[in-house]
Amino acid sequence: MNSKIKFYNTLTGEKEDFTPINKDEVTMYSCGPTVYNYAHIGNLRAYVFTDILRKTLKYEDYNLKQIMNITDIGHLSSDADSGEDKMTKGLQREGKELTLKNMRWLAEIYAEKFFEDTGKLNIEKPDGIYFASDYITEDIELINKLKEKGYTYQTSDGIYFDTSLMPDYGILWGGKRTWNKENSRIEINSEKKQPEDFTLWKFDNKIGFPSTFGQGFPGWHIECSAMSMKFLGDQIDIHTGGVDHISVHHTNEIAQSECATGKKPFVKYWMHNEHVDTGGEKMAKATGNFLKLSSVIEKGIDPIAYRFWLLMASYRTKMNFNWEALMGAEVALKRLYTLYNELGNTIGNIDENHRNKFKEYLEDDLDTPRALTVLWDLIKNEKISNADKKATILDFNKVLGLGFENLKQETIPEEIIKLAEEREQARKNKDFKKSDEIRKKINSLGYEVKDSSDSYKISKI
Ligand SMILES: [Zn+2]
């Protein structure tokens, strides 16, 4: 493997050489959606990012095993064990009784909607997708391990993790023990020993799952630790999620995983994508400041234009969404499609120079904006044959996922082809008057002929 990949690792705050724990298989865990409502286009950025990451690793010939969870047990799904519960809110909206069965019903509906959206964005499905509620036994086992090692304590409402017992708690956040004391989202719970201590198991006598600690629900963070360990092992290469997961969710995943196994680090490379803002504010369902992918489609915009727009910035750059920017991206994408369609039907060889450049940019922490400049440069390059351009674009498309493989060649009517042939003959005979007349006739029928040194191309006007 001659890969020279560098990834920005949130854990160290630096771009680092990527060397997987096991060279035969890269293990990656992606925090999945909480399925109580439609995803908004800001949420979907996280999955376009993991898709580019996934496809880049495969492009670089790594074997990859990527797992994603679906959070379908809502009781503690707010970031900091506080605030309104998302799944409960979803069931109330649907006018359904709060039961485990109904939670699953709701989750399956919105998981399907989620995959419809990701499919429209050409996002490949991870190798394993699992609902959290199917792995409660694994959560309980992990909590028991922490209990045996003395990391937990019980209050009247649940089992908590004692963060004071982990000297490097908060390392993802810069290793500061006082990091979230001022964080207003942490609710004051008088029974907690430290404000940053978090729930591993929350008691609920009405609708919870049975456990040795009493009926209840697992904390949100524990599902990702338990499922990551079950499917990928105690230590993994990459864990992805939005930047909003750094301070609480991922910090707590590290704490419970490393304390349970005694192995550090739980994750070698933590990778986080930035948000999409709209009107200067973070897109969020809680505030109502959000857009669904269906709103983009209803406006007549190709959803791939949204993917293309996202790729115009690094995944670590905050983006500000507005319709003008998206429509601009769509115009550029359609231009690429037109240029691609003009390349003809023959697929030649991949241009190695352009491929190397394209790879070099992706290897630099997935620099998609620069990778796109290679695509434009290639398509406009006069020294490369159309067939080779086509082969190279289809190769780049394995990572970019811009839909080139599905573009239909325009079918030109027989009458137009005949006229174009006649015109070409006239041109060869230097009968320019005749060739000009035929060109005008072709134009009047809605087509145009473009000449190159040794051939010509017909396209719709
Ligand atoms: Zn997670």
Side-chain angles (χ1 to χ4, degrees), residues 29 31-32 69 220 223-224 239 245 249-250 253:
Y29 186 94
C31 279
N69 65 306
W220 173 38
E223 78 181 52
C224 287
H239 193 121
H245 288 343
H249 183 51
H250 289 167
E253 275 188 43

Side-chain angles (χ1 to χ4, degrees), residues 285-343:
K285 274 177 275 196
T287 57
N289 186 35
F290 72 94
L291 269 174
K292 293 184 286 191
L293 192 65
S294 56
S295 318
V296 169
I297 297 165
E298 278 160 22
K299 279 220 171 204
I301 298 172
D302 183 342
I304 296 299
Y306 180 61
R307 180 181 173 104
F308 186 56
W309 178 70
L310 290 175
L311 301 188
M312 289 176 177
S314 150
Y315 72 93
R316 291 201 294 124
T317 305
K318 202 179 268 184
M319 292 184 85
N320 201 359
F321 177 87
N322 59 63
W323 289 109
E324 232 168 62
L326 183 62
M327 286 172 190
E330 195 189 31
V331 169
L333 179 68
K334 292 287 143 95
R335 169 114 186 94
L336 275 174
Y337 285 172
T338 305
L339 291 169
Y340 176 82
N341 271 335
E342 284 173 4
L343 296 176

Side-chain angles (χ1 to χ4, degrees), residues 226-277:
M227 290 161 92
S228 180
M229 285 180 194
K230 179 174 177 75
F231 297 106
L232 300 171
D234 288 350
Q235 292 174 292
I236 66 165
D237 293 309
I238 305 172
H239 193 121
T240 66
V243 285
D244 50 328
H245 288 343
I246 299 172
S247 63
V248 181
H249 183 51
H250 289 167
T251 287
N252 292 344
E253 275 188 43
I254 292 175
Q256 43 191 31
S257 307
E258 293 185 357
C259 290
T261 63
K263 293 176 195 164
K264 280 176 202 280
F266 163 49
V267 174
K268 202 168 173 190
Y269 304 92
W270 283 93
M271 295 179 71
H272 294 98
N273 64 282
E274 257 296 350
H275 295 143
V276 175
D277 285 0

Side-chain angles (χ1 to χ4, degrees), residues 163-170 175-181 194 196:
T163 54
S164 71
L165 301 177
M166 187 187 192
D168 59 353
Y169 177 77
K176 298 182 200 84
R177 281 288 293 123
T178 53
W179 60 274
N180 66 7
K181 288 261 157 71
Q194 284 80 222
E196 57 270 74

